[in-house]
CSV table of all heavy atoms in Angstrom, one decimal:
chain,number,residue,atom,x,y,z
A,103,PHE,N,32.5,56.2,54.7
A,103,PHE,CA,31.5,56.7,55.6
A,103,PHE,C,32.1,57.7,56.6
A,103,PHE,O,31.3,58.4,57.3
A,103,PHE,CB,30.9,55.5,56.4
A,103,PHE,CG,29.9,54.7,55.6
A,103,PHE,CD1,30.4,53.7,54.7
A,103,PHE,CD2,28.6,54.9,55.6
A,103,PHE,CE1,29.5,53.0,53.9
A,103,PHE,CE2,27.7,54.2,54.9
A,103,PHE,CZ,28.1,53.3,54.0
A,104,ALA,N,33.4,57.8,56.7
A,104,ALA,CA,34.0,58.8,57.6
A,104,ALA,C,33.6,60.2,57.1
A,104,ALA,O,33.7,61.2,57.9
A,104,ALA,CB,35.5,58.6,57.6
A,105,ALA,N,33.2,60.4,55.9
A,105,ALA,CA,32.9,61.7,55.4
A,105,ALA,C,31.5,62.2,55.7
A,105,ALA,O,31.2,63.4,55.4
A,105,ALA,CB,33.1,61.7,53.8
A,106,ILE,N,30.7,61.3,56.3
A,106,ILE,CA,29.3,61.7,56.5
A,106,ILE,C,29.1,62.2,57.9
A,106,ILE,O,29.5,61.5,58.9
A,106,ILE,CB,28.4,60.5,56.3
A,106,ILE,CG1,28.5,60.1,54.8
A,106,ILE,CG2,26.9,60.8,56.6
A,106,ILE,CD1,27.6,58.9,54.4
A,107,PRO,N,28.5,63.4,58.1
A,107,PRO,CA,28.2,63.9,59.5
A,107,PRO,C,27.1,63.2,60.2
A,107,PRO,O,26.3,62.5,59.5
A,107,PRO,CB,27.9,65.4,59.2
A,107,PRO,CG,27.3,65.4,57.9
A,107,PRO,CD,28.0,64.3,57.1
A,108,MET,N,26.9,63.5,61.5
A,108,MET,CA,25.8,62.8,62.3
A,108,MET,C,24.5,63.6,62.3
A,108,MET,O,23.6,63.2,63.0
A,108,MET,CB,26.3,62.6,63.7
A,108,MET,CG,27.4,61.6,63.8
A,108,MET,SD,26.8,59.9,63.2
A,108,MET,CE,25.5,59.6,64.4
A,109,ARG,N,24.5,64.7,61.6
A,109,ARG,CA,23.2,65.5,61.6
A,109,ARG,C,23.0,66.2,60.2
A,109,ARG,O,24.0,66.5,59.6
A,109,ARG,CB,23.4,66.6,62.7
A,109,ARG,CG,22.1,67.4,62.9
A,109,ARG,CD,22.3,68.4,64.0
A,109,ARG,NE,22.7,67.8,65.3
A,109,ARG,CZ,21.8,67.4,66.2
A,109,ARG,NH1,20.5,67.5,66.0
A,109,ARG,NH2,22.2,66.8,67.3
A,110,ALA,N,21.8,66.3,59.8
A,110,ALA,CA,21.5,66.9,58.5
A,110,ALA,C,20.4,68.0,58.7
A,110,ALA,O,19.5,67.9,59.6
A,110,ALA,CB,21.0,65.9,57.5
A,111,ASP,N,20.5,69.1,57.9
A,111,ASP,CA,19.5,70.1,58.0
A,111,ASP,C,18.5,69.8,56.8
A,111,ASP,O,18.6,68.8,56.1
A,111,ASP,CB,20.0,71.5,57.8
A,111,ASP,CG,20.9,71.7,56.6
A,111,ASP,OD1,20.5,71.1,55.5
A,111,ASP,OD2,21.9,72.4,56.6
A,112,SER,N,17.5,70.6,56.7
A,112,SER,CA,16.4,70.4,55.7
A,112,SER,C,16.9,70.3,54.3
A,112,SER,O,16.3,69.7,53.4
A,112,SER,CB,15.3,71.4,55.9
A,112,SER,OG,15.8,72.7,55.7
A,113,HIS,N,18.0,71.0,54.0
A,113,HIS,CA,18.6,71.1,52.7
A,113,HIS,C,19.4,69.8,52.3
A,113,HIS,O,19.6,69.6,51.1
A,113,HIS,CB,19.4,72.3,52.5
A,113,HIS,CG,18.6,73.6,52.8
A,113,HIS,ND1,17.6,74.0,51.9
A,113,HIS,CD2,18.7,74.5,53.8
A,113,HIS,CE1,17.1,75.2,52.4
A,113,HIS,NE2,17.8,75.5,53.5
A,114,THR,N,19.9,69.1,53.3
A,114,THR,CA,20.8,68.0,53.1
A,114,THR,C,20.3,66.7,53.4
A,114,THR,O,21.0,65.7,53.3
A,114,THR,CB,22.2,68.2,53.8
A,114,THR,OG1,21.9,68.3,55.2
A,114,THR,CG2,22.9,69.5,53.3
A,115,LEU,N,19.0,66.6,53.9
A,115,LEU,CA,18.4,65.3,54.2
A,115,LEU,C,18.4,64.3,53.1
A,115,LEU,O,18.8,63.2,53.2
A,115,LEU,CB,17.0,65.5,54.7
A,115,LEU,CG,16.8,66.1,56.1
A,115,LEU,CD1,15.3,66.4,56.4
A,115,LEU,CD2,17.3,65.1,57.2
A,116,GLY,N,18.0,64.8,51.9
A,116,GLY,CA,18.0,63.9,50.7
A,116,GLY,C,19.3,63.5,50.3
A,116,GLY,O,19.6,62.3,49.9
A,117,LEU,N,20.3,64.5,50.3
A,117,LEU,CA,21.6,64.2,49.8
A,117,LEU,C,22.3,63.2,50.7
A,117,LEU,O,23.0,62.2,50.2
A,117,LEU,CB,22.5,65.5,49.8
A,117,LEU,CG,24.0,65.4,49.5
A,117,LEU,CD1,24.1,64.8,48.1
A,117,LEU,CD2,24.7,66.7,49.6
A,118,LEU,N,22.2,63.3,52.0
A,118,LEU,CA,22.8,62.4,53.0
A,118,LEU,C,22.2,61.0,52.8
A,118,LEU,O,22.9,60.0,52.8
A,118,LEU,CB,22.6,62.8,54.4
A,118,LEU,CG,23.6,63.9,54.9
A,118,LEU,CD1,23.4,64.1,56.4
A,118,LEU,CD2,25.0,63.4,54.7
A,119,GLY,N,20.9,60.9,52.6
A,119,GLY,CA,20.2,59.6,52.3
A,119,GLY,C,20.8,59.0,51.1
A,119,GLY,O,21.1,57.8,51.0
A,120,PHE,N,21.0,59.8,50.0
A,120,PHE,CA,21.6,59.3,48.8
A,120,PHE,C,23.0,58.7,49.0
A,120,PHE,O,23.4,57.7,48.5
A,120,PHE,CB,21.6,60.4,47.7
A,120,PHE,CG,22.3,60.0,46.5
A,120,PHE,CD1,21.8,59.1,45.5
A,120,PHE,CD2,23.6,60.5,46.2
A,120,PHE,CE1,22.5,58.8,44.4
A,120,PHE,CE2,24.3,60.2,45.1
A,120,PHE,CZ,23.7,59.3,44.1
A,121,LEU,N,23.8,59.5,49.7
A,121,LEU,CA,25.2,59.1,50.0
A,121,LEU,C,25.3,57.9,50.8
A,121,LEU,O,26.1,57.0,50.6
A,121,LEU,CB,26.0,60.3,50.6
A,121,LEU,CG,26.2,61.5,49.8
A,121,LEU,CD1,26.9,62.6,50.6
A,121,LEU,CD2,27.1,61.1,48.6
A,122,LEU,N,24.4,57.7,51.8
A,122,LEU,CA,24.4,56.5,52.6
A,122,LEU,C,24.1,55.3,51.8
A,122,LEU,O,24.8,54.3,51.9
A,122,LEU,CB,23.3,56.7,53.7
A,122,LEU,CG,23.7,57.6,54.9
A,122,LEU,CD1,22.4,57.9,55.7
A,122,LEU,CD2,24.7,56.9,55.8
A,123,VAL,N,23.1,55.4,50.9
A,123,VAL,CA,22.8,54.2,50.1
A,123,VAL,C,23.9,54.0,49.1
A,123,VAL,O,24.3,52.8,48.8
A,123,VAL,CB,21.5,54.5,49.3
A,123,VAL,CG1,21.2,53.4,48.3
A,123,VAL,CG2,20.3,54.6,50.3
Side-chain angles (χ1 to χ4, degrees):
F103 285 82
I106 298 180
M108 290 300 297
R109 189 180 299 273
D111 57 36
S112 59
H113 301 292
T114 59
L115 283 173
L117 176 61
L118 278 186
F120 171 76
L121 290 177
L122 283 166
V123 174

